[in-house]
PDB file of all heavy atoms in Angstrom:
ATOM      1  N   PHE D  37      90.781 110.906  89.997  1.00 97.00           N
ATOM      2  CA  PHE D  37      90.853 109.455  89.860  1.00 97.00           C
ATOM      3  C   PHE D  37      91.664 109.072  88.623  1.00 97.00           C
ATOM      4  O   PHE D  37      92.427 108.113  88.648  1.00 97.00           O
ATOM      5  CB  PHE D  37      89.456 108.831  89.791  1.00 97.00           C
ATOM      6  CG  PHE D  37      89.533 107.347  89.582  1.00 97.00           C
ATOM      7  CD1 PHE D  37      89.983 106.519  90.590  1.00 97.00           C
ATOM      8  CD2 PHE D  37      89.199 106.785  88.363  1.00 97.00           C
ATOM      9  CE1 PHE D  37      90.097 105.144  90.399  1.00 97.00           C
ATOM     10  CE2 PHE D  37      89.304 105.415  88.163  1.00 97.00           C
ATOM     11  CZ  PHE D  37      89.750 104.600  89.182  1.00 97.00           C
ATOM     12  N   LEU D  64      90.651  92.241  94.445  1.00 88.00           N
ATOM     13  CA  LEU D  64      90.742  93.650  94.080  1.00 88.00           C
ATOM     14  C   LEU D  64      91.406  93.779  92.713  1.00 88.00           C
ATOM     15  O   LEU D  64      92.542  93.359  92.525  1.00 88.00           O
ATOM     16  CB  LEU D  64      91.566  94.404  95.138  1.00 88.00           C
ATOM     17  CG  LEU D  64      91.863  95.872  94.883  1.00 88.00           C
ATOM     18  CD1 LEU D  64      90.584  96.686  94.719  1.00 88.00           C
ATOM     19  CD2 LEU D  64      92.702  96.422  96.028  1.00 88.00           C
ATOM     20  N   VAL D  65      90.683  94.356  91.765  1.00 89.00           N
ATOM     21  CA  VAL D  65      91.203  94.585  90.414  1.00 89.00           C
ATOM     22  C   VAL D  65      91.381  96.086  90.235  1.00 89.00           C
ATOM     23  O   VAL D  65      90.435  96.851  90.402  1.00 89.00           O
ATOM     24  CB  VAL D  65      90.253  94.012  89.337  1.00 89.00           C
ATOM     25  CG1 VAL D  65      90.779  94.315  87.942  1.00 89.00           C
ATOM     26  CG2 VAL D  65      90.069  92.517  89.534  1.00 89.00           C
ATOM     27  N   GLY D  69      89.000 100.937  84.047  1.00 94.00           N
ATOM     28  CA  GLY D  69      87.633 100.483  83.809  1.00 94.00           C
ATOM     29  C   GLY D  69      87.068  99.627  84.935  1.00 94.00           C
ATOM     30  O   GLY D  69      85.866  99.395  84.991  1.00 94.00           O
ATOM     31  N   ARG D  70      87.935  99.144  85.835  1.00 93.00           N
ATOM     32  CA  ARG D  70      87.458  98.298  86.941  1.00 93.00           C
ATOM     33  C   ARG D  70      87.883  98.808  88.308  1.00 93.00           C
ATOM     34  O   ARG D  70      87.302  98.445  89.320  1.00 93.00           O
ATOM     35  CB  ARG D  70      87.943  96.868  86.757  1.00 93.00           C
ATOM     36  CG  ARG D  70      87.308  96.246  85.510  1.00 93.00           C
ATOM     37  CD  ARG D  70      87.579  94.805  85.329  1.00 93.00           C
ATOM     38  NE  ARG D  70      87.130  93.961  86.425  1.00 93.00           N
ATOM     39  CZ  ARG D  70      87.384  92.664  86.492  1.00 93.00           C
ATOM     40  NH1 ARG D  70      88.049  92.075  85.518  1.00 93.00           N
ATOM     41  NH2 ARG D  70      86.965  91.942  87.509  1.00 93.00           N
ATOM     42  N   ALA D  71      88.914  99.628  88.350  1.00 94.00           N
ATOM     43  CA  ALA D  71      89.495 100.051  89.626  1.00 94.00           C
ATOM     44  C   ALA D  71      88.519 100.836  90.491  1.00 94.00           C
ATOM     45  O   ALA D  71      88.409 100.583  91.695  1.00 94.00           O
ATOM     46  CB  ALA D  71      90.757 100.870  89.389  1.00 94.00           C
ATOM     47  N   TYR D  72      87.803 101.775  89.906  1.00 97.00           N
ATOM     48  CA  TYR D  72      86.913 102.616  90.714  1.00 97.00           C
ATOM     49  C   TYR D  72      85.852 101.767  91.409  1.00 97.00           C
ATOM     50  O   TYR D  72      85.656 101.873  92.624  1.00 97.00           O
ATOM     51  CB  TYR D  72      86.257 103.706  89.853  1.00 97.00           C
ATOM     52  CG  TYR D  72      85.541 104.729  90.697  1.00 97.00           C
ATOM     53  CD1 TYR D  72      86.246 105.816  91.223  1.00 97.00           C
ATOM     54  CD2 TYR D  72      84.194 104.610  90.986  1.00 97.00           C
ATOM     55  CE1 TYR D  72      85.605 106.754  92.020  1.00 97.00           C
ATOM     56  CE2 TYR D  72      83.547 105.544  91.778  1.00 97.00           C
ATOM     57  CZ  TYR D  72      84.254 106.612  92.297  1.00 97.00           C
ATOM     58  OH  TYR D  72      83.615 107.535  93.092  1.00 97.00           O
ATOM     59  N   ALA D  73      85.193 100.903  90.663  1.00 95.00           N
ATOM     60  CA  ALA D  73      84.138 100.061  91.240  1.00 95.00           C
ATOM     61  C   ALA D  73      84.690  99.059  92.250  1.00 95.00           C
ATOM     62  O   ALA D  73      83.944  98.577  93.109  1.00 95.00           O
ATOM     63  CB  ALA D  73      83.389  99.322  90.133  1.00 95.00           C
ATOM     64  N   SER D  74      85.983  98.760  92.170  1.00 94.00           N
ATOM     65  CA  SER D  74      86.599  97.813  93.101  1.00 94.00           C
ATOM     66  C   SER D  74      87.083  98.469  94.384  1.00 94.00           C
ATOM     67  O   SER D  74      87.482  97.769  95.310  1.00 94.00           O
ATOM     68  CB  SER D  74      87.811  97.137  92.442  1.00 94.00           C
ATOM     69  OG  SER D  74      87.406  96.294  91.402  1.00 94.00           O
ATOM     70  N   THR D  75      87.080  99.793  94.422  1.00 95.00           N
ATOM     71  CA  THR D  75      87.668 100.463  95.580  1.00 95.00           C
ATOM     72  C   THR D  75      86.707 101.344  96.364  1.00 95.00           C
ATOM     73  O   THR D  75      86.637 101.232  97.580  1.00 95.00           O
ATOM     74  CB  THR D  75      88.878 101.326  95.155  1.00 95.00           C
ATOM     75  OG1 THR D  75      88.481 102.256  94.152  1.00 95.00           O
ATOM     76  CG2 THR D  75      90.019 100.476  94.645  1.00 95.00           C
ATOM     77  N   VAL D  76      85.995 102.226  95.727  1.00 97.00           N
ATOM     78  CA  VAL D  76      85.224 103.248  96.434  1.00 97.00           C
ATOM     79  C   VAL D  76      83.965 102.646  97.055  1.00 97.00           C
ATOM     80  O   VAL D  76      83.154 102.014  96.387  1.00 97.00           O
ATOM     81  CB  VAL D  76      84.883 104.421  95.499  1.00 97.00           C
ATOM     82  CG1 VAL D  76      84.041 105.466  96.220  1.00 97.00           C
ATOM     83  CG2 VAL D  76      86.161 105.046  94.966  1.00 97.00           C
ATOM     84  N   ASN D  77      83.861 102.828  98.370  1.00 97.00           N
ATOM     85  CA  ASN D  77      82.738 102.312  99.172  1.00 97.00           C
ATOM     86  C   ASN D  77      82.600 100.792  99.111  1.00 97.00           C
ATOM     87  O   ASN D  77      81.504 100.260  99.242  1.00 97.00           O
ATOM     88  CB  ASN D  77      81.418 102.989  98.772  1.00 97.00           C
ATOM     89  CG  ASN D  77      81.393 104.439  99.184  1.00 97.00           C
ATOM     90  OD1 ASN D  77      81.771 104.798 100.299  1.00 97.00           O
ATOM     91  ND2 ASN D  77      80.947 105.290  98.276  1.00 97.00           N
ATOM     92  N   VAL D  78      83.714 100.090  98.916  1.00 96.00           N
ATOM     93  CA  VAL D  78      83.740  98.629  98.907  1.00 96.00           C
ATOM     94  C   VAL D  78      84.478  98.183 100.167  1.00 96.00           C
ATOM     95  O   VAL D  78      85.557  98.705 100.466  1.00 96.00           O
ATOM     96  CB  VAL D  78      84.464  98.091  97.648  1.00 96.00           C
ATOM     97  CG1 VAL D  78      84.608  96.575  97.697  1.00 96.00           C
ATOM     98  CG2 VAL D  78      83.736  98.531  96.389  1.00 96.00           C
ATOM     99  N   ARG D  88      87.599 100.100 101.372  1.00 95.00           N
ATOM    100  CA  ARG D  88      88.886 100.259 100.681  1.00 95.00           C
ATOM    101  C   ARG D  88      89.158 101.741 100.484  1.00 95.00           C
ATOM    102  O   ARG D  88      90.263 102.204 100.720  1.00 95.00           O
ATOM    103  CB  ARG D  88      88.859  99.537  99.345  1.00 95.00           C
ATOM    104  CG  ARG D  88      88.916  98.027  99.518  1.00 95.00           C
ATOM    105  CD  ARG D  88      88.772  97.295  98.220  1.00 95.00           C
ATOM    106  NE  ARG D  88      89.017  95.869  98.409  1.00 95.00           N
ATOM    107  CZ  ARG D  88      88.561  94.937  97.596  1.00 95.00           C
ATOM    108  NH1 ARG D  88      87.866  95.274  96.522  1.00 95.00           N
ATOM    109  NH2 ARG D  88      88.830  93.671  97.844  1.00 95.00           N
ATOM    110  N   ASN D 138      84.795 110.082  90.674  1.00 97.00           N
ATOM    111  CA  ASN D 138      85.167 109.315  89.490  1.00 97.00           C
ATOM    112  C   ASN D 138      85.324 110.295  88.340  1.00 97.00           C
ATOM    113  O   ASN D 138      84.442 110.440  87.514  1.00 97.00           O
ATOM    114  CB  ASN D 138      84.122 108.241  89.182  1.00 97.00           C
ATOM    115  CG  ASN D 138      84.580 107.281  88.113  1.00 97.00           C
ATOM    116  OD1 ASN D 138      85.694 107.358  87.629  1.00 97.00           O
ATOM    117  ND2 ASN D 138      83.713 106.357  87.764  1.00 97.00           N
TER     118      ASN D 138
END
Side-chain angles (χ1 to χ4, degrees):
F37 177 70
L64 176 58
V65 177
R70 294 187 59 186
Y72 190 86
S74 292
T75 56
V76 178
N77 291 315
V78 175
R88 287 175 172 157
N138 190 3

